[in-house]
Amino acid sequence: MSKPILVLNCGSSSIKYQMIDAESEELLAKGLVQRIATGTTGTIDHEVLSNNQGEYHVDQELPDHETALAKVFDLFREHGPNLDETVAVAHRTVHGGDKFAAPTLIDNEVVKTLRELSPLAPLHNPPGIAGIQAARKLLPNIPHVGIFDTAFFVNLPAEAYTYAMDVGTASQTKIRKYGFHGTSHQYVSQQAAKLLGRDDLKQIVCHLGNGASMSAVDSGHPIETSMGLTPLPGLVMGTRTGDIDPGIIGYLHRELGWTAAEIDTELNKRSGMLGLTGHTDMRDVQSAIDAGDKRARLGMDVYVHRLVFYIGGYAALLGGLDAITFTAGVGENSSEVRAEVCERLGVFGVQLDEQANSIRSKEPRVISTPESKVKVLVIPTNEELAMARQSVELLASS
Ligand code: AMP
């Protein structure tokens, strides 16, 4: 029997959605809504991938998430797949604070808690809540499940999630390392264990997309991750700094008179590969390097240096290393980044198979030589499928 799950990811002006049959794991439909509440004409692209395949485009004023979702549901009713067969809606929720360690059935109490957590993720949680409330109103008779980007990391060891600052201030303000991309790190680390046929792996997952984060996972349990209270620290990203000296924040304020909001924008939106090279997309960075651009070369050197630095630290924390997995846009596609990182990991006995590394594929695969002491893997992430699976598991157990 089919079990269609509607997976929703609501941003401030966009909604990404997929309809996945959790039984066959088939992608039935997907779509993207853009320019919600921007005062300009909104757009919806709806693609039906199951029976009666087709692509549909709508331009319309979309003043809020409810209007946008109502229009999306009209498209489902008009072109399919059948919305009435949907068994649940899975909502991607960025920040679950320390309250949500697992997928959770959403009720009014959960929404209230999410609102209380909004100061921790002011850009992400409010649109997520708007999407949840709109979907609950429009589809009131099916369960809605919250899947939290932070959940996988709630049980990090205390020495990993605690910042070295006054404990009273930290506890009053809920400051701790939360970590993000948890659904991806969990899914990919499970796939790696499956591919290598071992559940006692000491492994490192490098989620390298536009946002980028790393996790160290020991026998299925995360022990460290590179993002923190916010998704800003850690690795170099498309537009985010990753780690910097925290003293830079006060310094920018004093030297340039920038406000907290201006500094936030600088560090989140104008830094990372964009700030270093002028490009956010790793394909453009690579083309610039190939054309002899020294600024792009330095940007890549900083990017790789940070990755190697983290992998070394995580290997020590794990007390050994069996596997390193690359995932997300850059990790899955850039053989150059993977090669540059692995070249620097000979100290751990990493040997990349150049031929295997250069093959383009959507399949999970090993790209290290048979002699390599540490297996190097590429595993495409699939957060939506993971969310659909987790929702079905929750419904089966409740
Ligand atoms: P994600 O956030 O996982 O969707 O990743 C998006 C990023 O992946 C883009 O900004 C690019 O930097 C990177 N990317 C996508 N395709 C490629 C490719 N073929 N080679 C290198 N980088 C890629």
Side-chain angles (χ1 to χ4, degrees), residues 16 181 207-212 238 273 279-286 303 327-337 360 362 381 383:
K16 285 189 213 136
H181 294 147
H207 176 111
L208 311 179
N210 199 22
M273 294 312 274
H279 307 285
T280 41
D281 194 305
M282 207 47 109
R283 284 164 288 201
D284 299 333
V285 176
Q286 197 62 52
Y303 188 89
T327 191
V330 178
E332 290 167 30
N333 295 300
S334 175
S335 54
E336 292 92 347
V337 166
R360 299 190 68 82
K362 289 272 162 224
T381 192
E383 287 163 289

Side-chain angles (χ1 to χ4, degrees), residues 46 60 67-80 83:
H46 180 74
Q60 177 184 312
T67 314
L69 268 187
K71 187 65 207 168
V72 167
F73 293 165
D74 284 347
L75 289 169
F76 270 99
R77 292 196 176 96
E78 221 173 304
H79 305 291
L83 201 56

Side-chain angles (χ1 to χ4, degrees), residues 170-196:
S171 105
Q172 182 198 342
T173 51
K174 297 192 171 68
I175 289 178
R176 58 159 273 183
K177 173 178 282 191
Y178 290 100
F180 297 87
H181 294 147
T183 309
S184 176
H185 284 282
Q186 183 173 22
Y187 172 81
V188 170
S189 57
Q190 285 169 350
Q191 294 293 110
K194 210 159 123 189
L195 188 65
L196 298 178

